[in-house]
Amino acid sequence: MNIVWVTSEAAPYAKTGGLADVSAALPKALSERGHKVSVIMPYYPQVFKDLTAKTSLRYELLGVPFGWTEEWAQVREHKISDNLSFFFIAYDLYFDRPSLYDFQGTEYGDNAARFIFFSRAAMQAVLALDLKPDILHCNDWTSAFCNIYLKTPLYWDFDNFKNCKSVITIHNIGYQGVFDKNNLFLSGLGWEYFNHTCLEYHDKLNFMKAGIMTADMVNAVSPTYAKEIMTPDYGFTLDPVLHHVSWRGKLKGILNGIDQDEWNPATDKFLPAKYDKDKMEGKKACKAALQKEFGLPVNPDVPVFGIVSRLASQKGIDAFGNAIENLLYNEDLQVVILGTGDKELEGHLNYLNGKYPDKFSVYLGFSNKLSHLVEAGSDFFVMPSRYEPCGLNQMYSMRYGTIPIVRGTGGLEDTVVNYDPAALDKSTGFKFYILSDEAIRNTLKWAIGIYRNEPENFKKIVYNGMATDFSWDRTASEYEAMYNEAFK
Ligand code: ADP
Ligand code: GLC
């Protein structure tokens, strides 16, 4: 198939979270399976830095109708293989910024305009580059306008889109792109699109909702999350919309995979020593390097709990911060956290860092290199998420022989098998379900107990995780099946 994949971020060019990892790995996997994939994303020069050198100008004057005028953008390209290219929409007014969506935690005030523009430019780029997609695959609210455009006379008559169906993947329903309705004119669409079957949402525009309503197929990034978002607890008010598409057989849950080349402890260039499931020595050196890097006493015997996370309410790190103090006081353990986000939470983590300098260490910032070291050097990896559409870190950690401790929600529920001594062969981690101090503490103590008193079982859990296949090969075929269903 000919697939156009539209996204606001993709690794390594620009990344704030898992969407970037998926937008790199799944297009790659699909292209290796014989499909022709063109990824379209914005060009953020300040974020790309040296990677700009890998791109070249592909189209100089891309006309983008916008509001009452026409703007001019460029298209840059990084060709990876005959089947895979990344195309970048360059338009400095909107994308030459220090970060993707916000400045130090405050969303850019013109995000509606930025991502209407990006979506319109992506549609124009398909025409300019003469791509002939069978599938237009959009991701989250930032590219959802493409799903709408495809169903409007602005695009449906072009040969390029004649036989094209569209898909939207929901990576996170908590972020919907809700904006003042007066932004509608920027899109070139009239008020007939401002109704309950499309953009209208409590007298505002809701990009995600409209994308879901206009796509031919919709999927969430894990089977459990696909069910959860149909409930008021997890749907962020869009649960009725998801019911609507589910009744029509248009909602799927497809588990994310990981790029097993990028995340491989046997070859990882960021690690001081390499290892694999049959030769674990190197992991000890990684643990020592991690302890050193985070300024903690280097001690092979103390259990290290790692976290790499956006510091957003979704991730439950606030609950972890509250629960952990009692253990820091009473137990011999170490905690390392790599994260950035909510300022209040950053403050609390800094406080714990100051109060327990030998046990608790936090690095506030974004570092790809450190994230690999935390995955490799920790004994356990904690994800106490309030909700987790899929989550990639638990899969990275299992691949690195680091046992995940997770709240059983979304993709965490689907990927981690709770420890059960009677089913040791299958166990890959530890789970709890209620996000309370007690549940978090008890689960951590349970894990410490196995670490100290049942070393053989501990090793077996590590081994099971490392032996599990989390590659895209497992689920890329489900995307192919969904693409085929879009034509039915
Ligand atoms: P989400 O997309 O909700 O943030 P995922 O688990 O799907 O959650 O993906 C998060 C990705 O972002 C992982 O690759 C993780 O390593 C990375 N990440 C998150 N925070 C940081 C950080 N502070 N530094 C480096 N990488 C980070
Ligand atoms: C979102 C979700 C995360 C998921 C990622 C990639 O950012 O929060 O759970 O793994 O998208 O699909």
Side-chain angles (χ1 to χ4, degrees):
M1 282 187 168
N2 199 322
I3 299 157
V4 168
W5 177 282
V6 196
T7 178
S8 53
E9 54 183 273
Y13 313 101
K15 165 166 167 177
T16 67
L19 170 60
D21 293 21
V22 172
S23 294
L26 180 54
K28 180 175 150 208
L30 289 167
S31 72
E32 283 165 1
R33 294 167 76 90
H35 305 286
K36 188 165 174 57
V37 190
S38 309
V39 180
I40 303 182
M41 65 176 279
Y43 171 57
Y44 309 96
Q46 295 183 48
V47 179
F48 276 43
K49 301 198 175 88
D50 299 348
L51 286 165
T52 292
K54 300 208 163 178
T55 70
S56 57
L57 189 60
R58 172 63 198 273
Y59 202 88
E60 184 136 25
L61 280 174
L62 181 76
V64 184
F66 194 58
W68 59 77
T69 176
E70 179 162 31
E71 297 295 321
W72 300 94
Q74 284 87 47
V75 184
R76 304 188 70 82
E77 179 180 7
H78 182 189
K79 189 172 163 141
I80 309 288
S81 69
D82 284 347
N83 273 352
L84 179 63
S85 260
F86 282 76
F87 295 103
F88 307 101
I89 305 292
Y91 186 72
D92 287 354
L93 177 68
Y94 285 151
F95 303 120
D96 185 11
R97 302 203 181 172
S99 57
L100 275 54
Y101 314 114
D102 58 48
F103 184 68
Q104 295 181 353
T106 304
E107 272 197 23
Y108 296 130
D110 56 355
N111 272 349
R114 294 173 77 223
F115 289 102
I116 289 173
F117 181 87
F118 167 61
S119 301
R120 189 75 196 256
M123 298 303 278
Q124 293 294 104
V126 170
L127 301 180
L129 301 168
D130 201 21
L131 305 175
K132 295 204 170 63
D134 301 300
I135 293 291
L136 179 67
H137 192 142
C138 308
N139 294 277
D140 278 351
W141 72 268
T142 45
S143 50
F145 247 90
C146 293
N147 297 101
I148 315 174
Y149 279 135
L150 187 66
K151 298 289 156 67
T152 72
L154 292 177
Y155 291 97
W156 69 33
D157 271 342
F158 283 100
D159 275 350
N160 302 69
F161 290 112
K162 268 264 157 60
N163 299 308
C164 180
K165 299 290 176 193
S166 88
V167 167
I168 186 165
T169 295
I170 302 170
H171 296 265
N172 195 333
I173 201 85
Y175 302 85
Q176 298 176 3
V178 176
F179 299 104
D180 191 288
K181 62 186 175 192
N182 289 314
N183 287 293
L184 181 63
F185 89 102
L186 294 173
S187 71
L189 301 179
W191 289 106
E192 65 273 25
Y193 292 89
F194 191 69
N195 64 46
H196 72 283
T197 67
C198 194
L199 277 158
E200 197 274 337
Y201 171 85
H202 303 288
D203 208 34
K204 293 188 167 199
L205 303 175
N206 185 320
F207 291 23
M208 181 77 113
K209 178 201 160 195
I212 293 170
M213 291 296 284
T214 50
D216 294 295
M217 290 298 290
V218 179
N219 82 294
V221 288
S222 69
T224 296
Y225 192 57
K227 289 190 200 125
E228 286 175 341
I229 53 181
M230 285 195 282
T231 67
D233 280 352
Y234 290 90
F236 284 85
T237 75
L238 289 190
D239 39 303
V241 174
L242 290 154
H243 270 283
H244 176 86
V245 291
S246 170
W247 284 331
R248 284 158 181 76
K250 297 206 295 186
L251 178 64
K252 304 269 162 206
I254 305 179
L255 196 64
N256 281 337
I258 61 172
D259 184 332
Q260 304 218 110
D261 301 329
E262 184 68 27
W263 296 89
N264 180 358
T267 56
D268 193 323
K269 61 178 186 289
F270 295 121
L271 302 185
K274 323 282 181 235
Y275 58 95
D276 63 39
K277 65 180 189 313
D278 301 310
K279 214 160 141 262
M280 291 293 282
E281 272 311 296
K283 189 165 168 70
K284 291 186 184 146
C286 294
K287 179 168 175 175
L290 177 69
Q291 289 169 321
K292 199 157 165 243
E293 181 77 40
F294 275 77
L296 296 167
V298 176
N299 174 353
D301 299 324
V302 62
V304 176
F305 294 82
I307 289 181
V308 179
S309 183
R310 288 185 291 116
L311 300 179
S313 143
Q314 170 193 351
K315 300 293 179 181
I317 309 299
D318 53 327
F320 177 83
N322 292 333
I324 195 70
E325 184 151 12
N326 177 291
L327 290 185
L328 291 171
Y329 192 76
N330 288 307
E331 299 269 347
D332 188 18
L333 54 76
Q334 291 180 349
V335 177
V336 296
I337 300 187
L338 167 64
T340 172
D342 183 85
K343 295 298 158 210
E344 214 172 299
L345 181 51
E346 288 187 351
H348 187 215
L349 299 178
N350 264 337
Y351 155 82
L352 291 171
N353 197 155
K355 193 162 171 195
Y356 302 94
D358 286 346
K359 292 186 171 179
F360 190 98
S361 178
V362 53
Y363 177 96
L364 298 174
F366 199 95
S367 161
N368 193 30
K369 179 170 185 248
L370 276 185
S371 75
H372 284 245
L373 186 60
V374 176
E375 293 289 3
S378 307
D379 298 296
F380 298 98
F381 194 92
V382 191
M383 295 180 76
S385 303
R386 287 200 164 76
Y387 71 94
E388 195 60 73
C390 181
L392 301 172
N393 280 310
Q394 78 280 13
M395 294 190 264
Y396 298 150
S397 70
M398 285 185 265
R399 183 142 170 85
Y400 280 67
T402 300
I403 299 177
I405 300 178
V406 304
R407 177 163 174 265
T409 179
L412 299 174
E413 176 69 349
D414 294 336
T415 50
V416 178
V417 182
N418 204 7
Y419 172 60
D420 175 358
L424 187 57
D425 277 349
K426 296 206 171 72
S427 307
T428 56
F430 296 88
K431 281 193 204 175
F432 57 94
Y433 288 87
I434 296 168
L435 192 64
S436 66
D437 283 8
E438 255 187 328
I440 295 174
R441 273 201 295 269
N442 287 340
T443 314
L444 293 185
K445 282 191 197 164
W446 181 26
I448 294 172
I450 305 302
Y451 176 88
R452 291 202 190 290
N453 308 323
E454 317 256 3
E456 288 312 312
N457 286 11
F458 177 87
K459 274 193 204 146
K460 183 71 177 111
I461 304 171
V462 166
Y463 186 89
N464 292 345
M466 294 182 89
T468 308
D469 176 12
F470 290 113
S471 72
W472 273 106
D473 282 342
R474 272 193 329 168
T475 52
S477 61
E478 293 180 44
Y479 274 92
E480 293 167 342
M482 178 170 69
Y483 294 160
N484 284 322
E485 269 188 66
F487 284 90
K488 290 192 184 141

